[in-house]
Amino acid sequence: MSVSAPHRPAAVADSRTTGPRVPDEGRTDGADRSGHARRARRTLPRLGPDDREVLWLYLLTRVGIWAVAGAVGWLFPADGNARRAASPLAPWEQWDWTHFMHIARDGYFPGRAGPWTAGWDNREAFFPGFPLTLRAVHTVVPDWAAAGALISFLAGGVAVLALARIARLRLPDQDAGRRTVLFLLLSPCAVFLAAGYTEALFLALALPAWLAAQRQHWPTAAVLACLACSVRVTGLFLVAALVLHFVLTARGRSAWRAAPWLFLPALAPALYSWFLQTRTGDWMAWKHAQERGWYRDFHAPWEAWENTWEAAFHHTQPTGYALMWQAELLAMLVGVVLTAVLVRGRRWPEALYMALTLWALGTSYWYTSIPRSTLLWWPLWTALAAWSLRRPRVQSAYLYVVGPLGATVALTFLTGRWAG
């Protein structure tokens, strides 16, 4: 969600499912116990050479983004007559960040204010996971913006490691993890992984949850998915994909004993809805806040497309906003094509995740924040890596064409001219 104007070969993969086949862990003979111990050791968070390479790539891109943010304070000061550059943190303190910071600092309903108050900012539209994390980190890091940047920096490192491991599970190439991470980090909206936003934190929970599910570690997957659900409503779509993956891969009675864990992720959104109901009397207060503030009331998909098309091409909006809605349309098309590719490959859980995501994003009055949402589409980044392994020119084209677009979006956001 954004404030806008009117806004990853360990096992043989089964082509019919999304994950590798794993031996029955219910056996109790000595050989199986030894194998199970080896598998358990492999799940420990040890960093191999491939992981270190991915982290090095991540650190390099962080240096680049922060260098740009620092330059923005010198070249594009808010006051054109300023004699001192703004803080390097200043470009990050805008748009959705203000909502998260206000929630972390003041709570959801400060001074008994709420939807009944004139000029209300509809902050209950934002799930509590990131603000709670921000408030906790702020007890150690006094500056709110620095605390938010630190959360995203650490979460982004966890996310790229998990993404690389997901790619290496699926793609039989040593370079798969690095390529997948490269596509993500140079994507058009990658700047939001550095901002004090929810994308990095969500990926740091959702991708390890998906990785744990591929390895049949369902308690771990459920706990991580529950935390992801506290960060973004997108976590519910992840849970749907996890449930479908469990149904498709569970073999034998012992495997089904883990099924109750899949109910755990519902706890986070249920608790949040209960909290809002006690304050507002509305179990769906977060959804209604989205409707009031961001035009996310339900419209048929073709109506949302038509409204977005009109804003993009009928000269009814300023050119900056029109360009952003053109990007929204393009991102929706990419999502539809990706979903079709996943269905064709019979990767049903990922296809379900994408279909639910596109339904949520594509049934508002008009499209909002779909380009940013691409950061959460891990099947997109693994698909691009697989394509580039078959056709090397894909990577070159991505670097030379999409890379500059990412730099443009970063500058647009950091200078305060972001509109989507």
Side-chain angles (χ1 to χ4, degrees):
M1 180 182 300
S2 65
V3 177
S4 59
H7 289 33
R8 75 150 95 197
V12 178
D14 182 353
S15 63
R16 298 171 297 176
T17 67
T18 61
R21 291 185 181 274
V22 295
D24 186 357
E25 295 184 2
R27 293 176 55 193
T28 57
D29 57 277
D32 183 72
R33 285 196 300 270
S34 176
H36 178 71
R38 286 194 298 270
R39 286 194 299 275
R41 286 194 295 269
R42 284 200 296 270
T43 65
L44 295 178
R46 297 176 179 176
L47 299 180
D50 294 334
D51 295 323
R52 289 193 290 269
E53 183 178 4
V54 164
L55 284 179
W56 177 241
L57 178 62
Y58 176 70
L59 289 175
L60 287 176
T61 57
R62 300 311 90 186
V63 170
I65 286 178
W66 278 94
V68 171
V72 163
W74 287 84
L75 299 174
F76 306 99
D79 180 1
N81 296 318
R83 295 296 185 266
R84 292 186 179 183
S87 164
L89 294 168
W92 306 101
E93 298 177 277
Q94 54 186 330
W95 306 112
D96 285 7
W97 162 254
T98 60
H99 290 282
F100 297 127
M101 191 267 289
H102 290 156
I103 296 169
R105 187 188 64 191
D106 306 322
Y108 277 98
F109 306 103
R112 297 185 179 180
W116 49 87
T117 305
W120 180 242
D121 59 7
N122 299 302
R123 62 181 67 185
E124 66 271 26
F126 298 87
F127 276 39
F130 185 86
L132 287 173
T133 306
L134 179 60
R135 187 176 183 88
V137 174
H138 180 254
T139 62
V140 180
V141 181
D143 187 276
W144 286 105
L150 180 61
I151 293 169
S152 291
F153 175 74
L154 296 177
V158 174
V160 297
L161 282 175
L163 180 62
R165 293 183 179 188
I166 289 171
R168 291 196 295 265
L169 277 175
R170 174 158 294 282
L171 304 175
D173 190 285
Q174 186 175 359
D175 195 40
R178 185 196 65 84
R179 284 179 181 252
T180 303
V181 168
L182 179 68
F183 286 122
L184 170 66
L185 294 179
L186 296 183
S187 63
C189 289
V191 64
F192 294 103
L193 294 175
Y197 278 34
T198 59
E199 280 80 4
L201 182 59
F202 178 81
L203 288 175
L205 297 166
L207 294 181
W210 187 254
L211 184 62
Q214 305 309 295
R215 295 171 173 174
Q216 309 295 300
H217 296 167
W218 293 108
T220 301
V223 171
L224 291 170
C226 182
L227 294 174
C229 286
S230 76
V231 177
R232 294 176 65 101
V233 70
T234 318
L236 295 173
F237 312 148
L238 171 68
V239 173
L242 290 174
V243 171
L244 182 55
H245 178 66
F246 178 85
V247 171
L248 293 174
T249 60
R251 299 291 184 269
R253 183 176 301 176
S254 60
W256 279 90
R257 292 174 183 167
W261 281 101
L262 298 174
F263 291 95
L264 178 64
L267 180 63
L271 285 176
Y272 184 50
S273 294
W274 171 80
F275 166 78
L276 293 178
Q277 194 276 335
T278 62
R279 269 57 176 187
T280 68
D282 182 3
W283 286 96
M284 297 295 291
W286 65 271
K287 179 65 169 62
H288 297 147
Q290 290 189 347
E291 294 173 356
R292 291 191 303 268
W294 293 271
Y295 297 88
R296 291 190 182 274
D297 50 324
F298 178 81
H299 286 75
W302 51 89
E303 293 178 349
W305 176 274
E306 181 180 355
N307 293 334
T308 309
W309 184 275
E310 181 177 355
F313 296 111
H314 288 189
H315 310 291
T316 61
Q317 302 291 333
T319 57
Y321 288 107
L323 180 61
M324 293 312 304
W325 271 302
Q326 292 169 23
E328 298 281 350
L329 292 167
L330 179 59
M332 175 60 76
L333 289 175
V334 170
V336 171
V337 171
L338 174 61
T339 305
V341 170
L342 294 170
V343 169
R344 182 179 181 183
R346 304 179 72 181
R347 294 169 59 180
W348 307 117
E350 291 110 316
L352 178 61
Y353 173 82
M354 285 302 306
L356 292 174
T357 299
L358 295 178
W359 178 262
L361 293 170
T363 54
S364 300
Y365 176 79
W366 49 27
Y367 299 162
T368 306
S369 300
I370 302 180
R372 274 177 55 190
S373 183
T374 61
L375 295 171
L376 313 181
W377 301 352
W378 77 90
L380 175 60
W381 312 117
T382 57
L384 285 173
W387 190 17
S388 71
L389 289 170
R390 297 192 302 269
R391 298 180 181 273
R393 289 184 178 180
V394 169
Q395 179 172 321
S396 298
Y398 190 91
L399 294 177
Y400 300 141
V401 176
V402 178
L405 290 176
T408 302
V409 171
L411 277 172
T412 304
F413 172 77
L414 293 169
T415 56
R417 291 169 173 82
W418 180 252

